[in-house]
C-alpha cells in the first residue's frame, strides 16, 4: 500500500548524496553512477530530479514526540534533456538545454518500499509536472519521455503508460537494456477547446459503447490438463498454443501470450518455490525435479509477450557458475511464479498448468 504521508518534491543539492546512496544500494557496481555525475545532473537540470519523501521525526528525549526533523528520501527519478528521439550514449552523459526529449536515467525506490506502488505514483507525478510545464510555456517544451530498463521491469513501465520500442543500442553494464517511450504531444494545450464543447452532440450510441468498454468483463482463464486440446501444429514437427495464454487468477485474466507464439515442450520440472512452500492459489504444485512435465517455450526475447513480469535473480539451492534464474509473473496482478528464465537468456519457460487458456 502506498504510504499515506508520501510526498514528491524536487531534490535539493544537499540531498543528492542521499539519492546516490540509494543508487549504490540498488544497482550493481557496473551500473551505478558516480556521485559527481549525480551532482552534475542536479545542478544542470534540477527541475528533472524528483524525489519521493517521507517525513523524518526526531526520537530523542530532548524534543517533543513526533517533531518533524526533515524528510527522508526513499526514491527518485533523475533525467536530462536531449535533441535525439531515442536514448544514445551521448544522452547518457550530457544535458542539452535545447533538447525536448526527457531522458530518464534512473527510476529507483528503496528496497523496503518496493512493491507498494511508489514507483508508479512517482512516475505519474513526474509526467504531470512535465505536462504542466508544457501548459505554462504554451508550447511543447517537453515532447517525450525516454527511459531504459531491464526485462524484469517491462511490465512496470507499460502500466505507467510507456511503450517499449525494442532493445536499445546503449551499452552500460553487462546486461541488455530496453527502450521505453511516452509521447507528451497529447498534453492538453492551455488554448485548446474544452472537450465538452467539442462533443456537445456525440454520435448516437457512442457514450453507451464507451461505458460498455470501460466496464466490460475480463476474459475467463480456462484451466486445462489436456495437452492435446490446447495445441495446434506449428512449423515442422512442433506444436504451438492454440489459444491465448492468460493469467489464471479470477478477475485478472490478463493476456500473457497470443495464440501461436509458444512451443509445447516436454522437459524436466524445475523448482520454482522453496522446498515445502505451497504456491498461491490458483497455481498448482509442480512435479518435483527431475520428473518430466509440459512447458510452453517462448523465444527469442521478452518482446514477444503481451504481458509478463520478471523477479530479481533468485537464490540457487546449489550455487554454481551458471546464469542466475529469474521467475516469471503476471505483470498486471503479480501472480506467480508462472515459469522461469535465466538472466540474459533467450528462452522463457511457462508451466503448462500455471496459465489459463482462452479460445
Amino acid at each position: 500500500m502506498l504510504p499515506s504521508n508520501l510526498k514528491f518534491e524536487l531534490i535539493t543539492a544537499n540531498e543528492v548524496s542521499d539519492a546516490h546512496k540509494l543508487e549504490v544500494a540498488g544497482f550493481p557496481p557496473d551500473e551505478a553512477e558516480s556521485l559527481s555525475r549525480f551532482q552534475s545532473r542536479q545542478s544542470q537540470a534540477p527541475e528533472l530530479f524528483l524525489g519521493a519523501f517521507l517525513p523524518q521525526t526526531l526520537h530523542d528525549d530532548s524534543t517533543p514526540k513526533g517533531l518533524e526533523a526533515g524528510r527522508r528520501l526513499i526514491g527518485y527519478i533523475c533525467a536530462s534533456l536531449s535533441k535525439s528521439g531515442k536514448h544514445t550514449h551521448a544522452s547518457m552523459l550530457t544535458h542539452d538545454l535545447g533538447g525536448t526529449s526527457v531522458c530518464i536515467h534512473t527510476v529507483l525506490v528503496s528496497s523496503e518500499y518496493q512493491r507498494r506502488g511508489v514507483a508508479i505514483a512517482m512516475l505519474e507525478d513526474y509526467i504531470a509536472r512535465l505536462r504542466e510545464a508544457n501548459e505554462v510555456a504554451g508550447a511543447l517544451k517537453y515532447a517525450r519521455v525516454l527511459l531504459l530498463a531491464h526485462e524484469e521491469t517491462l511490465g512496470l513501465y507499460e502500466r505507467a503508460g510507456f511503450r517499449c520500442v525494442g532493445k536499445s543500442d546503449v551499452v552500460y553494464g553487462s546486461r541488455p537494456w530496453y527502450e521505453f517511450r511516452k509521447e507528451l504531444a497529447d498534453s492538453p494545450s492551455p488554448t485548446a477547446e474544452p472537450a465538452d464543447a467539442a462533443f456537445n452532440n456525440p454520435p448516437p450510441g457512442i457514450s453507451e459503447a464507451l461505458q460498455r468498454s470501460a466496464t466490460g468483463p475480463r476474459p475467463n482463464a480456462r484451466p486445462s490438463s489436456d495437452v492435446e486440446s490446447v495445441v495446434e501444429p506449428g512449423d515442422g514437427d512442433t506444436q504451438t498454443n492454440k489459444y491465448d495464454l492468460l493469467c489464471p487468477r479470477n478477475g485478472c485474466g490478463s493476456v500473457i501470450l497470443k495464440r501461436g507464439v509458444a512451443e509445447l515442450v516436454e522437459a524436466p520440472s524445475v523448482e520454482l518455490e522453496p522446498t515445502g512452500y505451497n504456491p498461491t492459489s490458483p497455481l498448482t504444485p509442480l512435479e518435483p525435479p527431475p520428473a518430466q512435465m509440459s512447458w510452453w517455450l517462448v523465444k527469442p526475447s521478452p518482446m514477444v509477450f503481451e504481458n509478463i513480469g520478471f523477479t530479481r535473480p533468485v537464490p540457487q539451492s546449489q550455487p554454481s557458475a551458471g546464469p542466475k534464474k529469474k521467475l516469471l509473473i503476471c505483470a498486471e496482478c503479480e501472480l506467480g511464479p508462472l515459469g522461469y528464465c535465466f538472466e540474459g537468456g533467450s528462452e522463457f519457460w511457462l508451466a503448462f498448468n500455471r496459465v489459463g487458456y482462452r479460445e
Side-chain angles (χ1 to χ4, degrees), residues 23 29 45 58 63 112 130 141 195 231 258 262 273-274 288 301 311 340:
E23 172 90 359
L58 295 174
T63 57
E112 61 184 306
L130 299 179
K141 180 180 179 180
V231 297
K258 299 296 285 185
E273 289 92 8
S301 85
T311 67
Y340 74 98

Side-chain angles (χ1 to χ4, degrees), residues 235-256:
D235 295 334
D237 296 329
T238 65
Q239 292 181 305
T240 66
N241 54 308
K242 186 177 180 180
Y243 307 108
D244 293 348
L245 304 186
L246 309 180
C247 171
R249 173 174 279 163
N250 289 334
C252 180
S254 179
V255 178
I256 293 173

Side-chain angles (χ1 to χ4, degrees), residues 110-234:
S110 174
S111 59
E112 61 184 306
Y113 290 98
Q114 291 178 5
R115 294 187 176 274
R116 296 181 61 178
V118 176
I120 290 287
M122 185 164 57
L123 280 165
E124 290 175 347
D125 186 274
Y126 198 86
I127 298 299
R129 289 169 181 262
L130 299 179
R131 291 189 185 279
E132 183 179 359
N134 283 345
E135 291 185 4
V136 171
L140 205 59
K141 180 180 179 180
Y142 303 119
R144 66 192 59 83
V145 184
L146 308 173
L147 63 83
L148 300 179
H150 289 313
E151 59 186 8
E152 65 267 22
T153 56
L154 298 184
L156 167 69
Y157 295 116
E158 287 175 347
R159 293 200 301 276
F162 286 80
R163 179 173 62 89
C164 185
V165 296
K167 187 174 288 188
S168 173
D169 296 330
V170 172
V171 177
Y172 192 82
S174 59
R175 299 176 57 198
W177 296 92
Y178 294 87
E179 178 148 350
F180 283 78
R181 175 194 302 264
K182 184 176 180 66
E183 296 290 341
L184 300 181
D186 59 342
S187 179
S189 167
T191 59
E193 184 180 14
D196 56 351
F199 292 98
N200 280 332
N201 298 298
I206 190 67
S207 298
E208 293 80 359
L210 290 173
Q211 182 67 18
R212 287 195 301 271
S213 175
T215 60
R218 289 292 189 105
N220 290 323
R222 174 173 61 87
S224 178
S225 58
D226 180 10
V227 172
E228 295 302 320
S229 68
V230 294
V231 297
E232 61 184 359

Side-chain angles (χ1 to χ4, degrees), residues 18-19 23 43 53 56 84 91 97 124 170 173 193-194 202 204 212 243 246 256 266 274 279 338:
D18 294 332
E23 172 90 359
S43 65
F53 294 94
Q56 188 163 279
S84 174
S91 69
L97 285 173
E124 290 175 347
V170 172
E193 184 180 14
R212 287 195 301 271
Y243 307 108
L246 309 180
I256 293 173
E266 294 296 317
L338 307 177

Side-chain angles (χ1 to χ4, degrees), residues 49-127:
F49 210 142
L50 183 70
F53 294 94
L54 290 176
Q56 188 163 279
T57 56
L58 295 174
H59 299 289
D60 58 71
D61 296 334
S62 63
T63 57
K65 184 178 180 180
L67 179 65
E68 188 169 309
R71 57 187 190 177
R72 179 164 69 100
L73 183 70
I74 66 164
Y76 65 90
I77 297 175
C78 69
S80 57
L81 294 179
S82 171
K83 291 181 180 178
S84 174
K86 68 175 185 177
H87 253 300
T88 64
H89 287 92
S91 69
M92 297 285 290
L93 302 174
T94 60
H95 173 65
D96 191 332
L97 285 173
T100 58
S101 292
V102 178
C103 296
I104 291 180
H105 304 293
T106 310
V107 178
L108 184 66
V109 175
S110 174
S111 59
E112 61 184 306
Y113 290 98
Q114 291 178 5
R115 294 187 176 274
R116 296 181 61 178
V118 176
I120 290 287
M122 185 164 57
L123 280 165
E124 290 175 347
D125 186 274
Y126 198 86
I127 298 299

